[in-house]
Amino acid sequence: MDQAAKKRLKAEFKAKRRAALCASLPMPLARLKALFSFLDRLDAPPCDHSLTQTRVFLHQQGLAPELVVPWLNEHGGYCDCEVLANVHDEVGDLIGWYVDEER
C-alpha cells in the first residue's frame, strides 16, 4: 500500500470515529465545550473527586444528568478533573478543539 492510500485510510478512519463520537454526544457540542471551559475556569474549586462542578453546570444549563453522566463515565470522566483530563482529551483530539484556546 502506498503512502497516499495509507493517508486516505487514516483520514477515513478518523472521520468515522469523529462522526460516531459526535453522534453519541448527550448534549450539543457547544455545551460540551462550555462544560470544559466551566471546569477549567480560573476560579474553579479543586476537584473533590466527584462530578460536583459538572452537575452544577448541567443544572445551570438545564441538561439531564441521567443522560450526560453515564456518557462522561463511558469516556473516563468519573470526577470533574477526569472530565478535563480524559473526556476532554478524547473529544478535543477528535474535534480539533482544546481548552487552552479559550485563554
Side-chain angles (χ1 to χ4, degrees), residues 9-38:
L9 286 174
K10 186 175 179 180
E12 288 174 8
F13 176 76
K14 188 172 181 179
K16 286 180 183 177
R17 272 191 69 207
R18 180 182 188 272
L21 180 65
C22 288
S24 78
L25 291 176
M27 66 179 94
L29 187 56
R31 287 205 178 151
L32 183 59
K33 290 178 183 180
L35 170 62
F36 295 146
S37 294
F38 179 79

Side-chain angles (χ1 to χ4, degrees), residues 47 49-52 54 69-70 72-83 86-87:
C47 183
H49 307 294
S50 74
L51 291 168
T52 301
T54 297
V69 170
L72 292 172
N73 292 168
E74 182 180 325
H75 294 277
Y78 295 95
C79 66
D80 295 326
C81 68
E82 287 180 340
V83 169
N86 299 333
V87 179

